[in-house]
């Protein structure tokens, strides 16, 4: 073959799409093409979602065997977007130590397990985080009768901690910064961590404040325990997928954004039908009545309408599991929409 002909062939491959010269390369998920993971999930007909399964309000298995909670409804929202069926989800209970491996190996399609978004986890651990679904902070719970009211009162005291979480390092950093010596009592299992504290073998227990409040509701006498006012860290909790599949990450990311946008637009699971005749261009694009936003991700154009119909908007989910009518009764605070002074915001659906 003449040298100039070979050169033209090489240049042609450089200017053509990768799939044209690579043959079996996976699609990126743009332009309506299904990503590798998206294609597999659609073919399987269900979503595999990694959760805790042991944290009321976020992911918990009831006596009827059904899962409920904020993290669970994130998975159900993705399933609704893909299959128009929020129950097309297989839940896998994962502890803190094994959760990242489950994502990396492809055992789960999405991790929705009160996981803090950090730089290290976003890079070296190989995770691709979706939007934050709950802004939290680390705290410490003690027995009310102990008289402990501040971190300084924990000098020389024992504190129960679950390993494999950000709480372990956060506590070390904060106590070292303040010059407060303490005795860490570390466990792999979250149930053992809180059971040991409840049995009085630790003077305190540390975790995300929402988790402390959630766990306290399961104690025989919840009012005998108090969460200290001091917040030790910022804990943005977010779902995550494996790095390397932008198309699949887009589906999960925009499923979460849908929950925020629906609340901002005032669209709920109860009034959704009223918006079907709306003339508002923003609402029509959001519901998939105009444009091809869904098709651009490789899903149905009405994916957002499916999510709202089956799962509701973010406010509905929050109230259902964490709001004033629940045992947790967590004020929304930073988890309000940006229009209400919070941090929850979705980019434009256009």
């Amino acid at each position: 073959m003449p040298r100039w002909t070979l050169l033209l062939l090489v240049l042609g491959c450089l200017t053509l799409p990768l799939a044209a010269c690579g043959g079996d390369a996976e699609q990126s998920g743009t332009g309506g093409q299904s990503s590798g993971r998206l294609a597999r999930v659609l073919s399987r007909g269900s979503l595999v979602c990694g959760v805790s399964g042991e944290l009321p309000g976020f992911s918990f298995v009831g006596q009827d065997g059904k899962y409920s909670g904020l993290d669970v409804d994130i998975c159900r929202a993705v399933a609704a977007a893909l299959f128009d069926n929020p129950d097309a989800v297989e839940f896998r209970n994962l502890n803190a130590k094994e959760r990242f491996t489950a994502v990396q190996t492809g055992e789960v399609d999405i991790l929705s397990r009160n996981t803090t978004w950090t730089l290290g986890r976003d890079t070296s651990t190989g995770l691709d985080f979706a939007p934050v679904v709950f802004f939290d902070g680390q705290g410490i719970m003690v027995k009310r009768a102990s008289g402990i009211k501040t971190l300084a009162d924990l000098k020389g005291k024992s504190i129960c901690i679950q390993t494999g979480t950000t709480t372990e390092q956060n506590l070390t950093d904060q106590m070292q910064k303040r010059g407060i010596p303490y005795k860490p009592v570390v466990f792999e299992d979250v149930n053992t961590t809180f059971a040991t504290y409840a049995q009085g073998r630790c003077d305190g227990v540390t975790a995300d404040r929402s988790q402390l409040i959630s766990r306290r509701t399961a104690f025989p006498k919840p009012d005998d325990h108090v969460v200290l006012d001091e917040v030790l860290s910022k804990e943005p909790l977010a779902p995550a997928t494996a790095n390397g599949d932008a198309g699949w990450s887009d589906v999960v990311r925009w499923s979460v954004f849908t929950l925020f946008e629906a609340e901002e637009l005032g669209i709920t699971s109860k009034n959704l039908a009223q918006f079907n005749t709306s003339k508002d261009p923003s609402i029509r694009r959001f519901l998939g009545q105009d444009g091809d936003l869904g098709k651009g991700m490789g899903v149905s154009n009405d994916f957002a309408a499916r999510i709202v119909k089956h799962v509701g908007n973010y406010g509905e989910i929050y109230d259902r599991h964490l709001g004033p009518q629940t045992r947790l009764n967590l004020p929304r605070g930073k988890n309000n929409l940006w229009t209400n002074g919070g941090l929850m915001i979705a980019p434009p659906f256009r």
Side-chain angles (χ1 to χ4, degrees), residues 202-251:
C202 295
D203 297 298
V205 61
T206 186
D208 292 344
R209 292 173 66 84
S210 62
Q211 184 172 7
L212 295 176
I213 294 170
S214 173
R215 286 279 174 173
R216 183 175 61 182
T217 63
F219 290 159
K221 296 181 178 180
D223 290 341
D224 287 354
H225 307 267
V226 60
V227 179
L228 300 183
D229 291 336
E230 291 170 276
V231 179
L232 306 184
S233 66
K234 53 187 176 184
E235 304 294 328
L237 309 181
T241 55
N243 267 340
D245 193 333
W248 175 240
S249 296
D250 282 344
V251 171

Side-chain angles (χ1 to χ4, degrees), residues 50 94 96-130 164 166 236-246 248-249 252-253:
L94 302 171
K97 187 176 181 180
E98 65 192 5
R99 55 183 164 171
F100 301 138
T101 302
V103 179
Q104 294 161 349
T105 60
E107 177 187 341
V108 298
D109 303 312
I110 174 178
L111 180 68
S112 185
R113 192 198 175 283
N114 57 296
T115 298
T116 302
W117 185 354
T118 70
L119 187 153
R121 290 174 175 177
D122 201 356
T123 55
S124 59
T125 308
L127 299 183
D128 192 2
F129 282 89
T166 56
L237 309 181
T241 55
N243 267 340
D245 193 333
W248 175 240
S249 296
V252 175
R253 180 178 299 111

Side-chain angles (χ1 to χ4, degrees), residues 84 96 134 148 169 177 183 193 201 240 260 294 301 342:
D84 203 13
F134 191 87
I148 297 172
Q169 185 62 54
K177 182 170 69 173
K183 302 171 185 176
T193 303
R201 292 163 56 192
F260 305 154
N301 282 332

